[in-house]
Amino acid sequence: MAPIVRITDLHKYFDRLHVLKGLNLEVQPQEVVCIIGRSGSGKSTLLRCINFLEEPSLGTIEVDGLSIPAGEKSREHRRHIHDIRLRTSMVFQEFNLFPHMTVLENVIEGPMTVKGMKREEAIKIAEMGLERVGLLIKRDEYPNRISGGQKQRVAIARALAMDPKVMLFDEPTSALDPELIGEVLMVMRRVAMDGMTMLVVTHEMVFAREVADRIIVMDDGEIIEQGPPEQLFTSPQDPRTEVFLDRVR
C-alpha cells in the first residue's frame, strides 16, 4: 500500500536557525502517528510544513498522491498548496473559533468558503460532525458560552467537516485545564477508531501509548527514534529518548 504522506529530505530554516534537518517520513493510510519530544525539537514546525502553513526550505511533501517540492513560487505551486490543504485538516493548540459566529456557523464556514458547498449541504455535514463529537446540542451557542474542552471539540468537528484524508493535531490539549483534557482525548480516540490517518504532536503519553500505531521521537530538528508504543516506552534505543521519557512519566 502506498503511503498517504511521504516527506523527503525536509529542511526548514528560520533565517539562520536550522529547525528541521533532513527529515524523511512515511505514513500509511489509517495510521495514527504520535510525535513526541522536548519543546523546541521541531514537532509543530513539521506539522505546519505538511500543510504549508510554513513553507519548507528544502525537500518534498507528498499527501495523497500530490507531491510538492519546496521553494517554487509559481501560480501552479500556490494551486497545489491549496489542493494539499483540502487533503489535510489541522487542529491547533488554540481553538481559533470565530467569536462572532455560532458553533454551527464556525463548522460550516470552511465547507462553504473553501469548497463552495451550499449552506444546506454544509449544515447537514456540520450537524453530523457535531453529533460525532457530542456537541450537537450546542450548535446555536457562541464560543464564549462553552468550555475550553467543548471549543476544542468544535474545532475537531470543523476539521472533520472538510472531509480530510489526513488530520494534523498540534498539541490539542495543551491549552486546556486538566479536567477538560479527557473529553478531547476521548473524541480523538473515536476519530482514530473510525480509520482517520492522524499525525498528533502531544505530551499526553498515556494517549500516545494507547492509541498510536507508531511513535516518533524528535530532538533538535531530527527524528532520533521511532517504533511501536510498547517497544519505545519499554526499551528505547536512543539515550535522548530515555531521558525525555523519564521527565514526562
Side-chain angles (χ1 to χ4, degrees):
M1 185 181 297
I4 194 167
V5 176
R6 180 184 282 118
I7 298 168
T8 307
D9 194 29
L10 176 64
H11 292 260
K12 177 62 182 177
Y13 292 87
F14 292 104
D15 295 323
R16 295 182 179 180
L17 183 62
H18 197 181
V19 178
L20 299 178
K21 303 174 180 178
L23 269 62
N24 293 285
L25 175 64
E26 292 185 350
V27 180
Q28 297 299 319
Q30 300 188 346
E31 188 177 15
V32 178
V33 177
C34 284
I35 305 168
I36 66 174
R38 62 186 179 86
S39 296
S41 59
K43 306 183 301 296
S44 295
T45 302
L46 169 60
L47 289 195
R48 293 174 67 86
C49 283
I50 291 174
N51 71 349
F52 284 80
L53 288 175
E54 296 288 352
E55 181 80 33
S57 303
L58 294 167
T60 303
I61 304 289
E62 181 180 327
V63 178
D64 192 33
L66 177 59
S67 181
I68 306 182
E72 295 185 0
K73 301 297 182 185
S74 64
R75 182 178 299 176
E76 183 181 36
H77 181 67
R78 291 193 295 271
R79 180 173 59 81
H80 284 163
I81 289 175
H82 172 77
D83 291 343
I84 216 166
R85 287 174 179 165
L86 290 176
R87 291 162 163 79
T88 60
S89 283
M90 192 159 182
V91 178
F92 300 89
Q93 298 178 31
E94 301 295 336
F95 323 117
N96 296 330
L97 300 180
F98 294 112
H100 63 289
M101 293 181 176
T102 66
V103 163
L104 182 69
E105 289 168 340
N106 267 280
V107 178
I108 67 175
E109 179 69 14
M112 290 176 59
T113 303
V114 179
K115 290 191 164 186
M117 193 177 291
K118 292 182 178 179
R119 182 178 177 86
E120 295 76 15
E121 184 181 359
I123 287 174
K124 289 180 182 178
I125 290 171
E127 287 177 340
M128 287 190 293
L130 290 170
E131 180 72 36
R132 198 169 171 185
V133 302
L135 285 176
L136 184 57
I137 194 172
K138 300 289 186 179
R139 54 165 283 168
D140 296 319
E141 296 282 4
Y142 286 89
N144 66 350
R145 298 290 300 274
I146 60 178
S147 71
Q150 290 171 336
K151 289 176 186 175
Q152 194 62 294
R153 286 153 62 191
V154 172
I156 294 173
R158 178 181 58 187
L160 289 168
M162 297 298 290
D163 192 26
K165 301 290 186 179
V166 179
M167 288 188 69
L168 311 172
F169 293 84
D170 185 11
E171 299 192 34
T173 61
S174 65
L176 299 177
D177 294 332
E179 67 270 18
L180 301 177
I181 290 173
E183 65 185 72
V184 173
L185 295 179
M186 181 175 63
V187 169
M188 291 173 63
R189 283 185 171 90
R190 290 186 199 142
V191 173
M193 289 174 63
D194 288 342
M196 177 62 68
T197 306
M198 297 167 56
L199 281 84
V200 185
V201 171
T202 185
H203 289 292
E204 301 293 335
M205 294 299 113
V206 173
F207 173 85
R209 189 165 192 162
E210 293 178 352
V211 179
D213 298 301
R214 179 166 42 123
I215 294 179
I216 287 172
V217 186
M218 290 186 63
D219 188 72
D220 195 25
E222 298 178 315
I223 294 173
I224 60 170
E225 186 167 356
Q226 58 182 301
E230 198 58 36
Q231 174 264 310
L232 192 137
F233 278 104
T234 57
S235 55
Q237 303 301 301
D238 192 293
R240 290 169 291 179
T241 303
E242 193 164 7
V243 169
F244 172 75
L245 292 176
D246 284 344
R247 288 175 179 169
V248 297
R249 281 179 177 136

